Amino acid sequence: MRDWAEGDDGWRKFGRANVELDARSETELGTLRSFIQVWFNQSSGFRGFVDEDDDRHSSGVTLRQAFVELGGLFFGIKTTLWDGDLDGEYDYWGYDSRVHTVGYNFAFGNGVNVALALEEYDYDYDYKPNVVGKVGISQGWGSLNVWGAYDATAEEGAAKAIAKIKLADPLELQLAGVYASGVSQYSPYDYKWAAGAHLKYKVNEKLALGFGGEYFGDSFVDGYNDWALGAVVDYEVVKGFASKLAVNYYDGDSFESGDNHWGGFLRLQRNF
């Protein structure tokens, strides 16, 4: 991965082996499922670097998910119910990492889905879990998902909505917005609100192009407003071997004059 920030004169390399174990059986109470996901990560230099704030890009072994489902009930270590974003690589709509959780997913007819979860990021801090709810609908025209969350530790709330609309068979418009009452696990960084859009065009079965941007408004720290633009190229080289090229640009009040920021990466991924 290359980061064109000023003073950064090298390439950052990162490798990952993602192992998933997924066991399912049918019971009188619905599908019984157990799922385990383990990441074996290695960043540049083979120095054993570990980023405590971001387990997605640090070296070492990470238990990303380990949960059990029975019907609509789920519990264990799981990606937060708040998880949801655009198909770009520039956008951020709140922390999407693993969390200890218990919840229930209600699947209704006509593509309607409702889920509620209790989530806990803290260790031995108090007895108050975070609460996250999600309502979604997915049909032929596309999908719409709406989230609400309350961070019990920060005592702040947030709400998010993401729509993905099929304008034509190969063209999809994605829209997103989020509002937070304060800085929390579910706020878009330290901003009060954010809004964005992404246009995705599927050229053929192998190639997809995307372009979009996000605006971050009213930082709780300094009142700054910032924005980001990004382009993505997804290409399937052969079945089971995919590539992704992303180039992003960041600017706004947080950047001093002439100190804007470029970033991006090239990812090669083998699935089997």
Side-chain angles (χ1 to χ4, degrees):
M1 180 174 68
R2 181 68 171 95
D3 188 337
W4 286 279
E6 185 176 355
D8 187 347
D9 298 321
W11 292 88
R12 300 179 186 177
K13 283 75 65 179
F14 178 78
R16 168 180 295 152
N18 176 58
V19 179
E20 298 180 3
L21 303 176
D22 193 345
R24 309 186 192 203
S25 59
E26 296 302 321
T27 75
E28 62 274 17
L29 297 179
T31 302
L32 175 61
R33 180 191 185 197
S34 56
F35 181 83
I36 297 175
Q37 181 184 31
V38 180
W39 283 354
F40 298 86
N41 298 332
Q42 181 60 59
S43 58
S44 299
F46 299 96
R47 293 174 296 177
F49 169 74
V50 176
D51 186 344
E52 297 293 343
D53 296 324
D54 188 355
D55 60 21
R56 296 168 298 179
H57 299 96
S58 59
S59 296
V61 179
T62 299
L63 179 62
R64 177 68 174 178
Q65 299 191 82
F67 63 85
V68 174
E69 292 180 352
L70 179 58
L73 176 68
F74 58 85
F75 59 91
I77 301 172
K78 201 172 189 290
T79 303
T80 172
L81 183 61
W82 183 259
D83 183 34
D85 53 19
L86 303 179
D87 286 347
E89 299 294 339
Y90 52 83
D91 54 315
Y92 186 85
W93 307 96
Y95 200 47
D96 64 351
S97 185
R98 56 184 176 165
V99 65
H100 289 270
T101 183
V102 58
Y104 199 91
N105 182 60
F106 302 87
F108 301 98
N110 297 321
V112 178
N113 179 274
V114 178
L116 182 67
L118 302 179
E119 301 186 345
E120 185 60 77
Y121 287 97
D122 303 319
Y123 175 74
D124 199 22
Y125 181 74
D126 58 23
Y127 298 99
K128 299 183 296 182
N130 302 343
V131 182
V132 184
K134 177 185 177 183
V135 178
I137 182 171
S138 179
Q139 296 183 342
W141 53 266
S143 64
L144 173 64
N145 290 285
V146 179
W147 292 260
Y150 178 75
D151 187 328
T153 303
E155 297 185 339
E156 301 289 353
K160 176 173 69 174
I162 297 178
K164 297 185 178 182
I165 306 167
K166 297 178 181 178
L167 301 179
D169 186 32
L171 188 63
E172 181 180 78
L173 175 64
Q174 304 174 4
L175 303 170
V178 60
Y179 173 85
S181 63
V183 178
S184 72
Q185 295 283 0
Y186 310 105
S187 61
Y189 295 121
D190 60 357
Y191 298 90
K192 187 174 185 178
W193 63 274
H198 186 84
L199 197 61
K200 183 177 181 179
Y201 182 75
K202 189 173 183 180
V203 179
N204 52 45
E205 292 300 318
K206 287 180 169 289
L207 178 63
L209 308 175
F211 178 80
E214 181 175 5
Y215 188 89
F216 304 88
D218 298 333
S219 168
F220 290 109
V221 178
D222 44 32
Y224 286 168
N225 300 307
D226 297 303
W227 53 275
L229 295 174
V232 179
V233 178
D234 290 291
Y235 182 70
E236 183 183 56
V237 182
V238 294
K239 185 177 181 180
F241 183 36
S243 62
K244 178 189 288 285
L245 174 64
V247 178
N248 305 320
Y249 175 80
Y250 306 90
D251 208 337
D253 297 336
S254 297
F255 301 85
E256 297 180 2
S257 178
D259 191 27
N260 44 42
H261 178 74
W262 285 91
F265 63 85
L266 173 63
R267 177 188 300 155
L268 302 176
Q269 181 171 324
R270 170 74 167 102
N271 299 318
F272 58 93

